[in-house]
């Protein structure tokens, strides 16, 4: 190899939000941040939209960072939050785009309901303020939380969720969600690989409970589990690796980076100690008919 050929460290971040949903950085800024963090590959996995992935892929040439098309879809689940990540989806898939449009409409009407509830509680806030804060992408509760903090109504984002926005709080409004099988099929139907995001948010009480959910999701077409993310300590990570291995699911990882809307989480490294190896991208690609990546060394 030529002495000056840069060698990219083989680390990745497969869970990143952009301004197309509730991240604070544009796709181009995310690519720059990923490049600076020496990441070899990222996926922009915005809530209910592929606009961030489309834009990132248009700018892929601007750096050495490989962009995997991605999305994150919420599914209905009784005891917690179930998010399904979709990787290597065809971004022009008509059926996936149709599903996302339905979810975007549901999101918009739910946001209005939240604002009405806040106003009903006497909070001085308008939908326009939220739209402005969101910068034109899909609006989510983190944007509402951000405005509540800015206006001094709550102290921080955590307070905003705990006092007002989380399920069970006074300004919470339900949102139409796909069934888990529908979310999985929307992703598979677009040639993508469906992966269960941050499994700890399911609030499964025991390993056995989580295993039962995973078995059902696998029967519906799930291909992987996000074993590496900032909310997991070493014990949970080991449990997810064990369950994935036992059930023939692949593992993925990402930080759930939201920029300034979750400032303690940094791209690629989470709260500082996350390192996700590039070989997981190779495993993902094997689940589709994608060509393998160019090799790291000559
Ligand atoms: P939404 O898509 O509008 O339902 O908002 C969900 C997003 O809000 C999640 O993806 C998280 O990024 C964020 N979120 C949920 N709960 C909390 C919390 N307690 N504190 C901070 N952010 C949260
Ligand atoms: Zn988010
Ligand atoms: Fe999520
Ligand atoms: Fe996320």
């Amino acid at each position: 190899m030529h002495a000056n050929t840069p060698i990219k460290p083989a680390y990745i971040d497969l869970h990143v939000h952009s301004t197309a949903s509730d991240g604070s950085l544009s796709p181009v800024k995310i690519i720059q941040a990923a490049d600076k963090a020496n990441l070899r590959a990222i996926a922009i996995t915005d809530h209910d939209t592929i606009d961030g992935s489309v834009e990132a892929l248009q700018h892929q040439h601007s750096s050495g960072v490989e962009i995997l098309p991605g999305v994150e879809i919420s599914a209905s689940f009784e005891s917690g939050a179930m998010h399904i990540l979709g990787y290597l989806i065809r971004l022009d898939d008509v059926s996936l785009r149709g599903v996302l449009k339905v979810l975007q409409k549901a999101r918009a009407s739910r946001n209005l309901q939240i604002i009405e509830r806040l106003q009903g509680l006497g909070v001085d806030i308008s939908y326009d303020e939220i739209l402005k804060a969101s910068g034109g992408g899909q609006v989510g509760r983190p944007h509402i939380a951000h405005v509540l903090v800015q206006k001094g109504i709550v102290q921080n984002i955590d307070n905003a969720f705990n006092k007002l926005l989380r399920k069970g709080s006074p300004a919470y409004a339900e949102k139409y969600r796909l069934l888990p099988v529908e979310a999985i099929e929307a992703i598979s139907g677009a040639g993508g690989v469906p992966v269960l995001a941050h499994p700890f948010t399911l609030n499964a009480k025991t390993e056995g409970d989580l295993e039962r959910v995973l078995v059902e999701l696998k029967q519906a077409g799930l291909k992987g589990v996000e074993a590496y993310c900032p909310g997991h300590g070493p014990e949970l990570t080991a449990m997810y690796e064990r369950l994935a291995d036992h059930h023939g699911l692949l593992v993925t990882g990402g930080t759930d980076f939201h920029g300034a809307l979750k400032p303690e989480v940094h791209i690629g490294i989470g709260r500082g100690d996350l390192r996700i190896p590039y070989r997981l991208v190779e495993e993902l690609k094997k689940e589709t008919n994608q060509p393998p990546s160019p090799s790291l060394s000559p």
Side-chain angles (χ1 to χ4, degrees), residues 22 47 83 107 110 140-142 157-158 161 175 258 262:
D22 53 2
H47 303 282
H83 294 179
R107 176 174 282 283
R110 184 255 201 138
R141 284 179 290 162
I157 301 260
D158 249 9
F161 272 92
K175 181 176 64 172
H258 283 72
K262 221 192 236 183

Side-chain angles (χ1 to χ4, degrees), residues 15 17 45 47 72-74 81-85 197-198 201 226 256 258 262:
H15 194 150
H17 293 274
T45 51
H47 303 282
E72 182 174 24
I73 299 178
S74 307
M82 181 185 284
H83 294 179
I84 309 287
L85 295 157
H198 41 66
T201 65
E226 189 179 51
D256 211 355
H258 283 72
K262 221 192 236 183

Side-chain angles (χ1 to χ4, degrees), residues 22-222:
D22 53 2
S24 69
L25 298 188
S26 68
V28 170
K29 286 259 159 61
I30 285 170
I31 294 174
Q32 288 166 358
D35 203 18
K36 209 168 149 201
N38 274 326
L39 298 180
R40 188 170 170 213
I42 59 166
I44 295 186
T45 51
D46 279 312
H47 303 282
D48 303 337
T49 177
I50 52 175
D51 291 352
S53 278
V54 170
E55 198 176 325
L57 278 156
Q58 285 165 353
H59 294 272
Q60 171 153 242
H61 59 271
S62 65
S63 77
V65 183
E66 180 181 346
I67 314 287
L68 274 63
V71 70
E72 182 174 24
I73 299 178
S74 307
S76 53
F77 186 69
E78 194 51 48
S79 63
M82 181 185 284
H83 294 179
I84 309 287
L85 295 157
Y87 293 117
L88 301 167
I89 41 177
R90 285 189 303 268
L91 294 173
D92 58 356
D93 187 84
V94 175
S95 164
L96 175 64
R97 281 178 174 257
V99 167
L100 294 179
K101 208 159 239 160
V102 171
L103 297 177
Q104 289 165 12
K105 275 199 186 140
R107 176 174 282 283
S109 68
R110 184 255 201 138
N111 288 328
L112 272 171
Q113 280 180 42
I114 295 176
I115 298 305
E116 279 165 13
R117 283 186 194 194
L118 285 169
Q119 289 167 344
L121 291 165
V123 175
D124 169 31
I125 196 165
S126 73
Y127 194 50
D128 274 355
E129 285 175 289
I130 310 298
L131 286 179
K132 217 173 262 171
S134 76
Q138 291 306 307
V139 178
R141 284 179 290 162
H143 296 120
I144 303 178
H146 179 69
V147 171
L148 289 169
V149 175
Q150 270 192 330
K151 299 187 83 168
I153 292 157
V154 290
Q155 275 184 328
N156 54 42
I157 301 260
D158 249 9
N159 271 181
F161 272 92
N162 288 332
K163 289 189 180 159
L164 293 163
L165 299 175
R166 74 171 163 78
K167 196 169 184 169
S169 305
Y172 181 79
E174 264 308 332
K175 181 176 64 172
Y176 165 74
R177 289 181 171 85
L178 296 182
L179 295 171
V181 61
E182 292 171 328
I184 288 169
E185 281 174 358
I187 291 161
S188 312
V193 186
V195 171
L196 176 67
H198 41 66
F200 71 101
T201 65
L202 294 177
N203 294 328
K205 288 209 169 57
T206 64
E207 182 166 345
D209 285 349
L210 176 62
E211 188 163 23
R212 275 186 285 282
V213 178
L214 283 179
V215 166
E216 264 186 47
L217 292 177
K218 188 182 169 176
Q219 277 166 1
L222 190 82

